[in-house]
Amino acid sequence: MGYTNDGSDDFEKLRKAFKEVTAIFGSFDNLLEAFGLADMPQAQRYGIAFGCLVFLLTVIAVLTLLTLGGTFKRLEEQAQTGDATLLSSRDARAQRALLLERLLEGRERMVRNYPDPPTTEKLTSLTKMLSNVAPQRLDGLSELANESVTEEKKREIRRYFPPHYEENYVDAYRKCQERPGGAVLSGRPEARFEAYARAFAGCGPYTSVSYRRSYGRLYEATSCMNLATDDKYVKLFKYRPNDIIGRYIRLEALEVDRHLEGLYNLTSGDAGLENKSFDPEEIWGFLEDGPFEDAKAMRNSFIFMHLMNEAAFAIVNNITDKLMGCILLSKDDPQNLTIQLEPPLMQPTQEGSRELLESCFLLMDRLFAYGYRRLQISIDALDSDKRKLAMRLGFTLEGVLYKHMVVKESSRDSNIYGLLNSDWKRGARVAIFKELYGDAAFRVDSMNEKKEEEFDEQTRVLKEQKRTEQENALLIRNKKV
Ligand SMILES: *[C@@H]1O[C@H](CO)[C@@H](O)[C@H](O)[C@H]1NC(C)=O
Ligand SMILES: *[C@@H]1O[C@H](CO)[C@@H](O)[C@H](O)[C@H]1NC(C)=O
Ligand SMILES: *[C@@H]1O[C@H](CO)[C@@H](O)[C@H](O)[C@H]1NC(C)=O
Ligand SMILES: *[C@@H]1O[C@H](CO)[C@@H](O)[C@H](O)[C@H]1NC(C)=O
Ligand SMILES: *[C@@H]1O[C@H](CO)[C@@H](O)[C@H](O)[C@H]1NC(C)=O
């Protein structure tokens, strides 16, 4: 259908509509004349008019929405609070003013009143506590779970075992035997039992049982994916039984010999050292120390020198076995069952990666399993990446401490985030678990958890019944006597 003037109904309707608009200008034809368009064909003239009208209405609608939606007001507010554009972390840092010379001098003078607290390069007791436990003699492990090995031989093996290790190992081994977490590896019927048992017992006797089960299942699934992974993890356990194993990464206690050079290469941002160059300020800008001139300087920094109530772990990729960064814990306060998690130090490209998330998850889960009631993160208020991480891990912002610290000669406000054991149990753990391992893995895990809980409960009740029976029998015998 063309736009000719052959008296179509639609055209008449349009004409009517325009009449109302043109009433504003006296006559539409006058208006066109003013623009020198009077001698155009009528259809074209109305076409132009229609176009203008639609444009006008659109502009009005957009302006109305902006005003009613409060966008203008928000823009104005943001301009006032200086938040109009989100500064990148690096820019935010660069713009921070230095403290007055007088304050810096005073600080230096007053700090001298206190000797430095003792720090150590060796593994702290906290690092050791959080690492897996393992017997000194690994070759005896399978013999302990073997019923045909003599009691005498077992006694000899037991001398190399930490407390309760055997009990945990054998219990877990037997339980897994009845319900392995997946298909049995061909030719290795024992592989799953052994994997589950060494992970379960490795958590030590002081973590909660549900944690040990969950860690055991996760380890078993990762380790017994196929024959190759089984080989890898059996070997890993032989050489490094204390590492905390996740699916994507593992945590090794941070040691100078093993990790110093690699960590320096990784975080220095030097294109010659790692494949990708980046501004080292992206890693170190918000921290008290760094970037470092050389590995030796890093060795003397807070990364490798620790107070006794701190812990440090290297994050190592599960496939490539390459170092990816490190994660620290500080302010351990067992008296009050609280501890502070420091955000992992990794390359900027790892920001928000599952490797980074898993390194936090593994530590957090273990800390709560030991009975900590409160985890804390203290983050520079300008550090948007780390603030995001805290929220993603389920932490809640508890407050802002203004002028909390002096970092690199400028003032730092700190956002304090907290996560309670009750929050962890009620949902934070599930959320991270699902994000890391997927919904299906979570369903399987919670199903197994329920089954194991039931099984343990049954065993407990049976044991209790047996004990009462024995007591009753004893009572009856005593009465007879
Ligand atoms: C248990 O020990 C016996 C005798 O030492 C041995 O023949 C058998 O292979 C062992 N079984 C397992 C499952 O290791
Ligand atoms: C390591 O993690 C990847 C996922 O990043 C997984 O696909 C792979 O199977 C894991 N490898 C081992 C040996 O556990
Ligand atoms: C670190 O970089 C140096 C210099 O390129 C290199 O010689 C060394 O092997 C690297 N070390 C590690 C552990 O990557
Ligand atoms: C980094 O460089 C090394 C040697 O030049 C190379 O083997 C490796 O594949 C590179 N890694 C990446 C992630 O590009
Ligand atoms: C922890 O508890 C002890 C004793 O109750 C107290 O002296 C200490 O100040 C507490 N620590 C913190 C950080 O509140």
Side-chain angles (χ1 to χ4, degrees), residues 33 69 87 104 179 185 214 242 256 262 272 287 340 369 371 388 391 434 439 447 453 474 478:
E33 225 162 62
L87 283 178
L104 291 175
R179 28 170 85 65
L185 288 182
S214 174
N242 303 109
V256 171
L287 300 175
Q340 181 162 310
K388 251 182 263 167
M391 303 305 275
K434 280 184 181 171
D439 283 1
M447 210 171 64
E453 229 168 49
L474 204 69
N478 284 350

Side-chain angles (χ1 to χ4, degrees), residues 142-143 145-150 153 173 190 194:
S142 55
E143 288 167 30
N146 186 341
E147 270 159 15
S148 41
V149 169
T150 62
K153 180 128 191 254
Y173 188 95
E190 312 274 315
E194 283 174 8

Side-chain angles (χ1 to χ4, degrees), residues 16-86:
K16 229 186 216 162
F18 280 133
K19 244 195 207 134
E20 305 202 17
V21 180
T22 52
I24 303 166
F25 300 100
S27 143
F28 180 58
D29 287 333
N30 289 349
L31 187 68
L32 283 179
E33 225 162 62
F35 284 97
L37 300 171
D39 49 7
M40 274 185 151
Q42 202 174 28
Q44 265 181 33
R45 285 183 1 207
Y46 281 108
I48 290 172
F50 187 60
C52 292
L53 185 70
V54 168
F55 174 72
L56 221 98
L57 286 178
T58 310
V59 170
I60 290 172
V62 168
L63 285 178
T64 313
L65 282 178
L66 280 177
T67 315
L68 293 184
T71 303
F72 283 149
K73 208 166 148 207
R74 236 182 354 257
L75 285 177
E76 190 183 297
E77 275 170 14
Q78 282 173 352
Q80 276 169 7
T81 55
D83 238 348
T85 50
L86 261 183

Side-chain angles (χ1 to χ4, degrees), residues 8 14 26 33 81 84 107 125 128 161 223 259 310 340 343 401 440:
S8 74
L14 265 180
E33 225 162 62
T81 55
R107 177 172 82 136
S125 38
K128 283 189 207 152
F161 276 54
S223 158
H259 304 118
E310 295 174 345
Q340 181 162 310
L401 303 183

Side-chain angles (χ1 to χ4, degrees), residues 258-266 272-274 323:
R258 285 175 58 79
H259 304 118
L260 174 62
E261 206 181 335
L263 198 61
Y264 175 74
N265 285 5
L266 200 70
L273 294 178
E274 270 296 316
L323 186 65

